[in-house]
Amino acid sequence: MVKMPFLWHFTFHRLPKLPEWLIGGHEYNYFKRAFFNRFAKDKQAMTDADMRHYASAYKIPQQLRAGLGLYRTYRKNQAFMMKAHRDELHVPILLLEGDYGSVSQGQQPKS
């Protein structure tokens, strides 16, 4: 995921302090233009009020930093999962996706 150009934010969000400095105070425009307008299949799926509500969750610097923490710990989590948690799960799992999910047409998840 980190090497795909359209997922540029994985690298950007990992930088220390810079994303907070650039995004802070511009949460609505950042999330709407950088993500929703670029990736949403249905541009009517979220109203302007919905987008403002979503962006407001990142207005406090600590909340934005916490949201960026997902990206900042991505490689460490990936290494942890690859080394420590390779056992098969023996519990029922139901995986549902819509028409535009992450599994390509004709490709089925490993059962």
Side-chain angles (χ1 to χ4, degrees), residues 41-56:
K41 184 71 176 169
D42 179 1
K43 304 291 190 230
Q44 306 302 313
M46 284 181 76
T47 66
D48 192 59
D50 293 336
M51 183 57 65
R52 290 193 185 286
H53 178 75
Y54 176 82
S56 73

Side-chain angles (χ1 to χ4, degrees), residues 2-90:
V2 185
K3 296 178 182 179
M4 297 177 185
F6 67 93
L7 296 177
W8 56 270
H9 59 285
F10 268 77
T11 300
F12 173 65
H13 289 171
R14 290 179 60 224
L15 297 171
K17 299 181 184 179
L18 182 62
E20 288 91 337
W21 185 67
L22 293 172
I23 298 168
H26 307 282
E27 297 84 4
Y28 172 82
N29 285 326
Y30 180 70
F31 291 117
K32 178 145 185 156
R33 292 183 179 158
F35 297 100
F36 184 73
N37 287 351
R38 291 181 64 224
F39 295 117
K41 184 71 176 169
D42 179 1
K43 304 291 190 230
Q44 306 302 313
M46 284 181 76
T47 66
D48 192 59
D50 293 336
M51 183 57 65
R52 290 193 185 286
H53 178 75
Y54 176 82
S56 73
Y58 295 95
K59 283 208 176 282
I60 297 173
Q62 294 85 345
Q63 291 170 313
L64 179 56
R65 190 175 328 110
L68 296 170
L70 168 74
Y71 301 92
R72 292 175 176 158
T73 59
Y74 178 78
R75 290 195 190 272
K76 188 181 281 188
N77 288 338
Q78 184 182 34
F80 174 77
M81 296 302 287
M82 294 302 287
K83 290 179 185 174
H85 297 286
R86 299 294 292 176
D87 295 338
E88 289 185 26
L89 293 175
H90 298 285

Side-chain angles (χ1 to χ4, degrees), residues 88-89 108-111:
E88 289 185 26
L89 293 175
Q108 296 298 316
K110 187 178 176 182
S111 53

